[in-house]
Amino acid sequence: MHQGAALVAISYMSCFFDASLTDVLESPECPSDESRGAVLVQILARCGEGLMFNVFYALLGVSALSRVHKSATMLQKLAALCSLCERTMWKGILCWDSLCGWLQTTVSSLSSEYLRQGEAELIIPLWLKVLQDAASDYLHSRTGDNCRNHPGYMQGKGGAAVNS
């Protein structure tokens, strides 16, 4: 895929997550089948595994550096949405277990050129912890009183975690 097209697609998905998160934050208790939030969450629930797979390959591809920040932000928003849905009536459609399953499937399906043998079992728990912390950071930035000072990017402990 052309690098510019990849960046546009990632930006589009980031906006999609923003809209989904806004709707779920505004109406966590009463989803109607016709609401924009319900439609967005249902689309994500059906396409999440493919999305996770493609984000990983965008990060692993040639000249991925330009996509790292956008991809990391998109994964943070995806984790935030799954985490938020976990605490609402949306849980039946989308939840943290959805994200865990997508990550497991994606990492397990990576070819041997990307991971050494046994590495998948080591990185999945690490990534889940980082995504959980990043989701918490993002949701705090959207709902906390410091919302104006922090736009929601990985700034707290979730963004600081590294694989050493």
Side-chain angles (χ1 to χ4, degrees):
M1 178 186 284
H2 184 272
Q3 184 175 348
L7 292 173
V8 169
I10 290 171
S11 293
Y12 174 79
M13 289 306 303
S14 186
C15 291
F16 176 86
F17 289 131
D18 283 337
S20 300
L21 282 159
T22 298
D23 282 2
V24 173
L25 282 168
E26 288 177 358
S27 62
E29 301 303 322
C30 49
S32 76
D33 289 340
E34 295 84 30
S35 74
R36 182 177 70 160
V39 171
L40 294 172
V41 169
Q42 289 174 7
I43 290 170
L44 185 56
R46 290 183 187 144
C47 301
E49 185 175 318
L51 174 68
M52 179 72 76
F53 185 80
N54 286 309
V55 169
F56 264 71
Y57 273 97
L59 288 169
L60 296 171
V62 177
S63 302
L65 193 55
S66 64
R67 296 183 294 271
V68 169
H69 177 74
K70 287 182 178 274
S71 297
T73 301
M74 191 165 57
L75 287 172
Q76 181 187 32
K77 290 177 182 180
L78 176 61
L81 187 57
C82 289
S83 179
L84 181 61
C85 286
E86 185 76 25
R87 303 183 303 243
T88 69
M89 292 182 66
W90 299 91
K91 184 178 181 176
I93 300 170
L94 185 68
C95 62
W96 188 255
D97 286 343
S98 305
L99 180 81
C100 294
W102 300 335
L103 182 63
Q104 177 73 41
T105 300
T106 298
V107 171
S108 298
S109 67
L110 292 175
S111 69
S112 60
E113 68 187 80
Y114 295 115
L115 296 174
R116 292 182 295 254
Q117 186 162 0
E119 194 173 15
E121 292 78 22
L122 298 173
I123 67 169
I124 290 172
L126 176 66
W127 274 63
L128 286 173
K129 174 68 174 130
V130 169
L131 287 171
Q132 185 177 37
D133 290 343
S136 176
D137 289 349
Y138 185 84
L139 290 173
H140 178 72
S141 75
R142 290 287 303 261
T143 60
D145 53 3
N146 66 345
C147 188
R148 290 188 185 103
N149 298 328
H150 300 288
Y153 298 110
M154 293 186 216
Q155 297 182 21
K157 60 184 177 180
V162 294
N163 188 3
S164 47

mmCIF file of all heavy atoms in Angstrom, residues 64-90:
data_model
loop_
_atom_site.group_PDB
_atom_site.id
_atom_site.type_symbol
_atom_site.label_atom_id
_atom_site.label_comp_id
_atom_site.label_asym_id
_atom_site.label_seq_id
_atom_site.Cartn_x
_atom_site.Cartn_y
_atom_site.Cartn_z
ATOM 1 N N ALA A 64 7.907 1.866 8.241
ATOM 2 C CA ALA A 64 6.821 1.924 9.221
ATOM 3 C C ALA A 64 6.959 3.092 10.188
ATOM 4 O O ALA A 64 5.998 3.446 10.858
ATOM 5 C CB ALA A 64 6.761 0.617 10.011
ATOM 6 N N LEU A 65 8.121 3.707 10.273
ATOM 7 C CA LEU A 65 8.345 4.752 11.259
ATOM 8 C C LEU A 65 7.303 5.861 11.188
ATOM 9 O O LEU A 65 6.846 6.347 12.212
ATOM 10 C CB LEU A 65 9.753 5.327 11.108
ATOM 11 C CG LEU A 65 10.241 6.200 12.249
ATOM 12 C CD1 LEU A 65 10.140 5.461 13.588
ATOM 13 C CD2 LEU A 65 11.670 6.627 12.005
ATOM 14 N N SER A 66 6.882 6.239 9.991
ATOM 15 C CA SER A 66 5.885 7.298 9.853
ATOM 16 C C SER A 66 4.518 6.880 10.392
ATOM 17 O O SER A 66 3.677 7.722 10.681
ATOM 18 C CB SER A 66 5.762 7.733 8.393
ATOM 19 O OG SER A 66 5.285 6.659 7.608
ATOM 20 N N ARG A 67 4.310 5.578 10.541
ATOM 21 C CA ARG A 67 3.012 5.077 10.994
ATOM 22 C C ARG A 67 3.003 4.691 12.475
ATOM 23 O O ARG A 67 1.965 4.353 13.012
ATOM 24 C CB ARG A 67 2.599 3.878 10.150
ATOM 25 C CG ARG A 67 2.381 4.210 8.699
ATOM 26 C CD ARG A 67 1.906 3.011 7.909
ATOM 27 N NE ARG A 67 2.871 1.935 7.807
ATOM 28 C CZ ARG A 67 3.784 1.810 6.860
ATOM 29 N NH1 ARG A 67 3.877 2.712 5.920
ATOM 30 N NH2 ARG A 67 4.609 0.786 6.838
ATOM 31 N N VAL A 68 4.140 4.709 13.130
ATOM 32 C CA VAL A 68 4.215 4.204 14.498
ATOM 33 C C VAL A 68 3.325 4.996 15.440
ATOM 34 O O VAL A 68 2.519 4.424 16.174
ATOM 35 C CB VAL A 68 5.680 4.175 15.009
ATOM 36 C CG1 VAL A 68 5.740 3.911 16.500
ATOM 37 C CG2 VAL A 68 6.466 3.118 14.257
ATOM 38 N N HIS A 69 3.442 6.319 15.430
ATOM 39 C CA HIS A 69 2.645 7.124 16.361
ATOM 40 C C HIS A 69 1.157 6.972 16.086
ATOM 41 O O HIS A 69 0.373 6.753 17.010
ATOM 42 C CB HIS A 69 3.055 8.598 16.280
ATOM 43 C CG HIS A 69 2.235 9.477 17.151
ATOM 44 N ND1 HIS A 69 2.381 9.499 18.521
ATOM 45 C CD2 HIS A 69 1.232 10.331 16.865
ATOM 46 C CE1 HIS A 69 1.509 10.343 19.030
ATOM 47 N NE2 HIS A 69 0.807 10.860 18.050
ATOM 48 N N LYS A 70 0.761 7.058 14.819
ATOM 49 C CA LYS A 70 -0.658 6.930 14.477
ATOM 50 C C LYS A 70 -1.182 5.536 14.822
ATOM 51 O O LYS A 70 -2.286 5.391 15.338
ATOM 52 C CB LYS A 70 -0.898 7.245 13.005
ATOM 53 C CG LYS A 70 -0.786 8.712 12.674
ATOM 54 C CD LYS A 70 -1.081 8.943 11.208
ATOM 55 C CE LYS A 70 -1.025 10.403 10.859
ATOM 56 N NZ LYS A 70 -2.260 11.112 11.072
ATOM 57 N N SER A 71 -0.388 4.514 14.552
ATOM 58 C CA SER A 71 -0.816 3.148 14.861
ATOM 59 C C SER A 71 -0.910 2.925 16.360
ATOM 60 O O SER A 71 -1.858 2.306 16.850
ATOM 61 C CB SER A 71 0.149 2.132 14.238
ATOM 62 O OG SER A 71 0.127 2.229 12.842
ATOM 63 N N ALA A 72 0.060 3.434 17.103
ATOM 64 C CA ALA A 72 0.032 3.295 18.560
ATOM 65 C C ALA A 72 -1.175 4.013 19.145
ATOM 66 O O ALA A 72 -1.847 3.499 20.042
ATOM 67 C CB ALA A 72 1.324 3.829 19.171
ATOM 68 N N THR A 73 -1.473 5.187 18.623
ATOM 69 C CA THR A 73 -2.643 5.934 19.087
ATOM 70 C C THR A 73 -3.924 5.180 18.756
ATOM 71 O O THR A 73 -4.849 5.116 19.570
ATOM 72 C CB THR A 73 -2.661 7.334 18.452
ATOM 73 O OG1 THR A 73 -1.457 8.015 18.819
ATOM 74 C CG2 THR A 73 -3.857 8.144 18.935
ATOM 75 N N MET A 74 -3.975 4.589 17.575
ATOM 76 C CA MET A 74 -5.156 3.826 17.191
ATOM 77 C C MET A 74 -5.329 2.603 18.092
ATOM 78 O O MET A 74 -6.442 2.295 18.521
ATOM 79 C CB MET A 74 -5.062 3.407 15.726
ATOM 80 C CG MET A 74 -6.363 2.850 15.208
ATOM 81 S SD MET A 74 -6.459 2.728 13.427
ATOM 82 C CE MET A 74 -5.074 1.715 13.041
ATOM 83 N N LEU A 75 -4.252 1.906 18.400
ATOM 84 C CA LEU A 75 -4.341 0.761 19.314
ATOM 85 C C LEU A 75 -4.778 1.217 20.699
ATOM 86 O O LEU A 75 -5.547 0.535 21.379
ATOM 87 C CB LEU A 75 -3.000 0.029 19.387
ATOM 88 C CG LEU A 75 -2.631 -0.798 18.162
ATOM 89 C CD1 LEU A 75 -1.197 -1.302 18.277
ATOM 90 C CD2 LEU A 75 -3.600 -1.954 17.970
ATOM 91 N N GLN A 76 -4.300 2.387 21.134
ATOM 92 C CA GLN A 76 -4.704 2.925 22.428
ATOM 93 C C GLN A 76 -6.206 3.197 22.449
ATOM 94 O O GLN A 76 -6.897 2.859 23.407
ATOM 95 C CB GLN A 76 -3.936 4.204 22.728
ATOM 96 C CG GLN A 76 -4.298 4.807 24.083
ATOM 97 C CD GLN A 76 -3.670 6.162 24.307
ATOM 98 O OE1 GLN A 76 -3.462 6.919 23.369
ATOM 99 N NE2 GLN A 76 -3.381 6.469 25.547
ATOM 100 N N LYS A 77 -6.725 3.796 21.385
ATOM 101 C CA LYS A 77 -8.158 4.092 21.319
ATOM 102 C C LYS A 77 -8.980 2.814 21.241
ATOM 103 O O LYS A 77 -10.050 2.724 21.850
ATOM 104 C CB LYS A 77 -8.454 5.003 20.126
ATOM 105 C CG LYS A 77 -7.916 6.405 20.314
ATOM 106 C CD LYS A 77 -8.164 7.251 19.079
ATOM 107 C CE LYS A 77 -7.590 8.635 19.235
ATOM 108 N NZ LYS A 77 -7.830 9.467 18.039
ATOM 109 N N LEU A 78 -8.501 1.828 20.507
ATOM 110 C CA LEU A 78 -9.186 0.545 20.437
ATOM 111 C C LEU A 78 -9.244 -0.096 21.821
ATOM 112 O O LEU A 78 -10.295 -0.578 22.248
ATOM 113 C CB LEU A 78 -8.471 -0.381 19.446
ATOM 114 C CG LEU A 78 -9.001 -1.802 19.318
ATOM 115 C CD1 LEU A 78 -10.445 -1.797 18.837
ATOM 116 C CD2 LEU A 78 -8.127 -2.608 18.358
ATOM 117 N N ALA A 79 -8.131 -0.074 22.534
ATOM 118 C CA ALA A 79 -8.101 -0.624 23.891
ATOM 119 C C ALA A 79 -9.018 0.165 24.819
ATOM 120 O O ALA A 79 -9.728 -0.410 25.651
ATOM 121 C CB ALA A 79 -6.665 -0.620 24.427
ATOM 122 N N ALA A 80 -9.047 1.479 24.664
ATOM 123 C CA ALA A 80 -9.915 2.318 25.488
ATOM 124 C C ALA A 80 -11.384 1.993 25.233
ATOM 125 O O ALA A 80 -12.183 1.891 26.170
ATOM 126 C CB ALA A 80 -9.642 3.796 25.220
ATOM 127 N N LEU A 81 -11.731 1.811 23.980
ATOM 128 C CA LEU A 81 -13.118 1.487 23.637
ATOM 129 C C LEU A 81 -13.516 0.131 24.206
ATOM 130 O O LEU A 81 -14.595 -0.021 24.783
ATOM 131 C CB LEU A 81 -13.310 1.533 22.130
ATOM 132 C CG LEU A 81 -14.735 1.381 21.619
ATOM 133 C CD1 LEU A 81 -15.645 2.447 22.205
ATOM 134 C CD2 LEU A 81 -14.759 1.466 20.112
ATOM 135 N N CYS A 82 -12.641 -0.865 24.065
ATOM 136 C CA CYS A 82 -12.939 -2.192 24.611
ATOM 137 C C CYS A 82 -13.037 -2.132 26.136
ATOM 138 O O CYS A 82 -13.924 -2.750 26.733
ATOM 139 C CB CYS A 82 -11.870 -3.196 24.192
ATOM 140 S SG CYS A 82 -11.938 -3.608 22.436
ATOM 141 N N SER A 83 -12.161 -1.382 26.760
ATOM 142 C CA SER A 83 -12.173 -1.240 28.218
ATOM 143 C C SER A 83 -13.441 -0.528 28.685
ATOM 144 O O SER A 83 -14.073 -0.938 29.657
ATOM 145 C CB SER A 83 -10.932 -0.466 28.668
ATOM 146 O OG SER A 83 -10.914 -0.294 30.051
ATOM 147 N N LEU A 84 -13.807 0.526 27.985
ATOM 148 C CA LEU A 84 -15.011 1.282 28.339
ATOM 149 C C LEU A 84 -16.261 0.430 28.155
ATOM 150 O O LEU A 84 -17.150 0.418 29.018
ATOM 151 C CB LEU A 84 -15.096 2.548 27.484
ATOM 152 C CG LEU A 84 -16.287 3.459 27.735
ATOM 153 C CD1 LEU A 84 -16.285 3.979 29.170
ATOM 154 C CD2 LEU A 84 -16.258 4.627 26.753
ATOM 155 N N CYS A 85 -16.347 -0.288 27.067
ATOM 156 C CA CYS A 85 -17.509 -1.138 26.812
ATOM 157 C C CYS A 85 -17.645 -2.228 27.869
ATOM 158 O O CYS A 85 -18.752 -2.673 28.173
ATOM 159 C CB CYS A 85 -17.427 -1.752 25.413
ATOM 160 S SG CYS A 85 -17.768 -0.577 24.091
ATOM 161 N N GLU A 86 -16.528 -2.643 28.422
ATOM 162 C CA GLU A 86 -16.523 -3.675 29.465
ATOM 163 C C GLU A 86 -17.380 -3.266 30.665
ATOM 164 O O GLU A 86 -17.970 -4.109 31.331
ATOM 165 C CB GLU A 86 -15.070 -3.923 29.912
ATOM 166 C CG GLU A 86 -14.882 -5.028 30.890
ATOM 167 C CD GLU A 86 -14.987 -6.408 30.256
ATOM 168 O OE1 GLU A 86 -14.741 -6.562 29.050
ATOM 169 O OE2 GLU A 86 -15.329 -7.342 31.008
ATOM 170 N N ARG A 87 -17.465 -1.964 30.916
ATOM 171 C CA ARG A 87 -18.181 -1.444 32.092
ATOM 172 C C ARG A 87 -19.575 -0.927 31.765
ATOM 173 O O ARG A 87 -20.187 -0.236 32.568
ATOM 174 C CB ARG A 87 -17.361 -0.322 32.727
ATOM 175 C CG ARG A 87 -15.965 -0.746 33.130
ATOM 176 C CD ARG A 87 -15.216 0.369 33.812
ATOM 177 N NE ARG A 87 -15.119 1.567 33.006
ATOM 178 C CZ ARG A 87 -13.978 2.087 32.570
ATOM 179 N NH1 ARG A 87 -12.851 1.506 32.855
ATOM 180 N NH2 ARG A 87 -13.982 3.200 31.862
ATOM 181 N N THR A 88 -20.066 -1.242 30.571
ATOM 182 C CA THR A 88 -21.362 -0.724 30.150
ATOM 183 C C THR A 88 -22.245 -1.845 29.626
ATOM 184 O O THR A 88 -21.841 -3.006 29.589
ATOM 185 C CB THR A 88 -21.186 0.324 29.018
ATOM 186 O OG1 THR A 88 -20.738 -0.336 27.843
ATOM 187 C CG2 THR A 88 -20.215 1.422 29.419
ATOM 188 N N MET A 89 -23.420 -1.466 29.166
ATOM 189 C CA MET A 89 -24.327 -2.432 28.554
ATOM 190 C C MET A 89 -23.818 -2.894 27.182
ATOM 191 O O MET A 89 -24.360 -3.825 26.609
ATOM 192 C CB MET A 89 -25.720 -1.823 28.416
ATOM 193 C CG MET A 89 -26.395 -1.602 29.767
ATOM 194 S SD MET A 89 -28.058 -0.952 29.600
ATOM 195 C CE MET A 89 -28.866 -2.341 28.827
ATOM 196 N N TRP A 90 -22.781 -2.262 26.663
ATOM 197 C CA TRP A 90 -22.205 -2.628 25.381
ATOM 198 C C TRP A 90 -21.373 -3.900 25.487
ATOM 199 O O TRP A 90 -20.931 -4.438 24.471
ATOM 200 C CB TRP A 90 -21.298 -1.511 24.864
ATOM 201 C CG TRP A 90 -21.979 -0.213 24.630
ATOM 202 C CD1 TRP A 90 -22.112 0.806 25.523
ATOM 203 C CD2 TRP A 90 -22.619 0.223 23.440
ATOM 204 N NE1 TRP A 90 -22.786 1.841 24.959
ATOM 205 C CE2 TRP A 90 -23.111 1.522 23.680
ATOM 206 C CE3 TRP A 90 -22.815 -0.351 22.197
ATOM 207 C CZ2 TRP A 90 -23.791 2.243 22.708
ATOM 208 C CZ3 TRP A 90 -23.487 0.380 21.238
ATOM 209 C CH2 TRP A 90 -23.973 1.656 21.498
#
